PDB file of all heavy atoms in Angstrom:
ATOM      1  N   ALA A  21      -5.089   0.125 -17.746  1.00 98.00           N
ATOM      2  CA  ALA A  21      -4.008  -0.046 -18.607  1.00 98.00           C
ATOM      3  C   ALA A  21      -2.744  -0.257 -17.919  1.00 98.00           C
ATOM      4  O   ALA A  21      -1.907  -1.039 -18.312  1.00 98.00           O
ATOM      5  CB  ALA A  21      -4.033   1.205 -19.461  1.00 98.00           C
ATOM      6  N   ALA A  23      -2.344  -1.381 -14.893  1.00 98.00           N
ATOM      7  CA  ALA A  23      -2.321  -2.753 -14.193  1.00 98.00           C
ATOM      8  C   ALA A  23      -2.022  -3.851 -15.188  1.00 98.00           C
ATOM      9  O   ALA A  23      -1.268  -4.883 -14.885  1.00 98.00           O
ATOM     10  CB  ALA A  23      -3.561  -3.045 -13.529  1.00 98.00           C
ATOM     11  N   PHE A  34       0.159  -4.585  -8.505  1.00 98.00           N
ATOM     12  CA  PHE A  34      -0.283  -3.339  -8.692  1.00 98.00           C
ATOM     13  C   PHE A  34      -1.062  -2.720  -7.513  1.00 98.00           C
ATOM     14  O   PHE A  34      -2.053  -3.385  -7.072  1.00 98.00           O
ATOM     15  CB  PHE A  34      -1.328  -3.350  -9.941  1.00 98.00           C
ATOM     16  CG  PHE A  34      -1.994  -2.034 -10.148  1.00 98.00           C
ATOM     17  CD1 PHE A  34      -1.522  -0.991 -11.078  1.00 98.00           C
ATOM     18  CD2 PHE A  34      -3.282  -1.605  -9.531  1.00 98.00           C
ATOM     19  CE1 PHE A  34      -2.200   0.204 -11.225  1.00 98.00           C
ATOM     20  CE2 PHE A  34      -3.922  -0.594  -9.656  1.00 98.00           C
ATOM     21  CZ  PHE A  34      -3.386   0.389 -10.566  1.00 98.00           C
ATOM     22  N   MET A  41      -9.351  12.728  -2.284  1.00 95.00           N
ATOM     23  CA  MET A  41      -9.181  14.085  -2.806  1.00 95.00           C
ATOM     24  C   MET A  41      -7.691  14.267  -3.121  1.00 95.00           C
ATOM     25  O   MET A  41      -6.779  13.650  -2.383  1.00 95.00           O
ATOM     26  CB  MET A  41      -9.607  15.067  -1.690  1.00 95.00           C
ATOM     27  CG  MET A  41      -9.862  16.537  -2.288  1.00 95.00           C
ATOM     28  SD  MET A  41     -10.612  17.477  -0.958  1.00 95.00           S
ATOM     29  CE  MET A  41      -9.244  17.931   0.236  1.00 95.00           C
ATOM     30  N   PRO A  77      -7.205   4.024   4.972  1.00 98.00           N
ATOM     31  CA  PRO A  77      -7.349   4.546   6.279  1.00 98.00           C
ATOM     32  C   PRO A  77      -8.419   3.892   7.093  1.00 98.00           C
ATOM     33  O   PRO A  77      -9.447   3.508   6.524  1.00 98.00           O
ATOM     34  CB  PRO A  77      -7.772   6.022   6.055  1.00 98.00           C
ATOM     35  CG  PRO A  77      -7.312   6.260   4.640  1.00 98.00           C
ATOM     36  CD  PRO A  77      -7.506   5.048   3.908  1.00 98.00           C
ATOM     37  N   ARG A 130      -8.448   2.813  17.108  1.00 98.00           N
ATOM     38  CA  ARG A 130      -9.424   2.140  16.257  1.00 98.00           C
ATOM     39  C   ARG A 130      -8.693   1.242  15.286  1.00 98.00           C
ATOM     40  O   ARG A 130      -9.249   0.179  15.010  1.00 98.00           O
ATOM     41  CB  ARG A 130     -10.144   3.320  15.491  1.00 98.00           C
ATOM     42  CG  ARG A 130     -11.098   4.077  16.252  1.00 98.00           C
ATOM     43  CD  ARG A 130     -11.755   5.246  15.347  1.00 98.00           C
ATOM     44  NE  ARG A 130     -12.875   5.888  16.246  1.00 98.00           N
ATOM     45  CZ  ARG A 130     -14.146   5.401  16.375  1.00 98.00           C
ATOM     46  NH1 ARG A 130     -14.419   4.363  15.576  1.00 98.00           N
ATOM     47  NH2 ARG A 130     -15.010   6.087  16.954  1.00 98.00           N
ATOM     48  N   GLY A 140      -9.997 -11.451  13.169  1.00 98.00           N
ATOM     49  CA  GLY A 140     -10.913 -12.508  13.746  1.00 98.00           C
ATOM     50  C   GLY A 140     -12.035 -13.011  12.670  1.00 98.00           C
ATOM     51  O   GLY A 140     -12.246 -14.257  12.839  1.00 98.00           O
ATOM     52  N   PRO A 172      -4.721 -18.334   6.126  1.00 95.00           N
ATOM     53  CA  PRO A 172      -5.804 -18.105   6.871  1.00 95.00           C
ATOM     54  C   PRO A 172      -6.501 -16.727   6.510  1.00 95.00           C
ATOM     55  O   PRO A 172      -7.622 -16.506   6.914  1.00 95.00           O
ATOM     56  CB  PRO A 172      -5.315 -18.104   8.328  1.00 95.00           C
ATOM     57  CG  PRO A 172      -3.811 -17.614   8.031  1.00 95.00           C
ATOM     58  CD  PRO A 172      -3.382 -18.223   6.837  1.00 95.00           C
ATOM     59  N   ARG A 215      12.318  -5.156  13.730  1.00 98.00           N
ATOM     60  CA  ARG A 215      12.934  -6.388  14.108  1.00 98.00           C
ATOM     61  C   ARG A 215      12.860  -6.679  15.559  1.00 98.00           C
ATOM     62  O   ARG A 215      12.552  -7.693  16.044  1.00 98.00           O
ATOM     63  CB  ARG A 215      14.379  -6.464  13.601  1.00 98.00           C
ATOM     64  CG  ARG A 215      14.454  -6.529  12.050  1.00 98.00           C
ATOM     65  CD  ARG A 215      15.904  -6.781  11.622  1.00 98.00           C
ATOM     66  NE  ARG A 215      16.046  -6.830  10.283  1.00 98.00           N
ATOM     67  CZ  ARG A 215      16.547  -5.908   9.318  1.00 98.00           C
ATOM     68  NH1 ARG A 215      16.886  -4.690   9.833  1.00 98.00           N
ATOM     69  NH2 ARG A 215      16.655  -6.074   8.039  1.00 98.00           N
ATOM     70  N   GLN A 225      10.373 -12.844  11.747  1.00 92.00           N
ATOM     71  CA  GLN A 225      10.474 -11.479  11.058  1.00 92.00           C
ATOM     72  C   GLN A 225       9.568 -11.340   9.923  1.00 92.00           C
ATOM     73  O   GLN A 225       9.430 -12.324   9.207  1.00 92.00           O
ATOM     74  CB  GLN A 225      11.944 -11.233  10.670  1.00 92.00           C
ATOM     75  CG  GLN A 225      12.911 -11.192  11.755  1.00 92.00           C
ATOM     76  CD  GLN A 225      12.718 -10.012  12.676  1.00 92.00           C
ATOM     77  OE1 GLN A 225      12.373  -8.944  12.255  1.00 92.00           O
ATOM     78  NE2 GLN A 225      12.849 -10.131  13.967  1.00 92.00           N
ATOM     79  N   LEU A 228       9.817  -6.963   4.768  1.00 98.00           N
ATOM     80  CA  LEU A 228      10.164  -5.492   4.930  1.00 98.00           C
ATOM     81  C   LEU A 228      10.155  -4.839   3.469  1.00 98.00           C
ATOM     82  O   LEU A 228      10.678  -5.592   2.629  1.00 98.00           O
ATOM     83  CB  LEU A 228      11.652  -5.211   5.617  1.00 98.00           C
ATOM     84  CG  LEU A 228      11.753  -5.767   7.039  1.00 98.00           C
ATOM     85  CD1 LEU A 228      13.218  -5.611   7.359  1.00 98.00           C
ATOM     86  CD2 LEU A 228      10.808  -5.127   7.914  1.00 98.00           C
ATOM     87  N   GLU A 268      21.723   3.517 -12.218  1.00 98.00           N
ATOM     88  CA  GLU A 268      21.659   4.268 -11.020  1.00 98.00           C
ATOM     89  C   GLU A 268      20.464   3.687 -10.104  1.00 98.00           C
ATOM     90  O   GLU A 268      20.680   3.607  -8.794  1.00 98.00           O
ATOM     91  CB  GLU A 268      21.408   5.767 -11.255  1.00 98.00           C
ATOM     92  CG  GLU A 268      22.641   6.540 -11.803  1.00 98.00           C
ATOM     93  CD  GLU A 268      22.115   8.057 -11.960  1.00 98.00           C
ATOM     94  OE1 GLU A 268      21.640   8.243 -13.063  1.00 98.00           O
ATOM     95  OE2 GLU A 268      22.360   8.838 -11.076  1.00 98.00           O
TER      96      GLU A 268
END
Side-chain angles (χ1 to χ4, degrees):
F34 172 92
M41 196 170 78
R130 287 180 177 274
R215 292 185 178 106
Q225 294 297 322
L228 301 174
E268 289 179 275

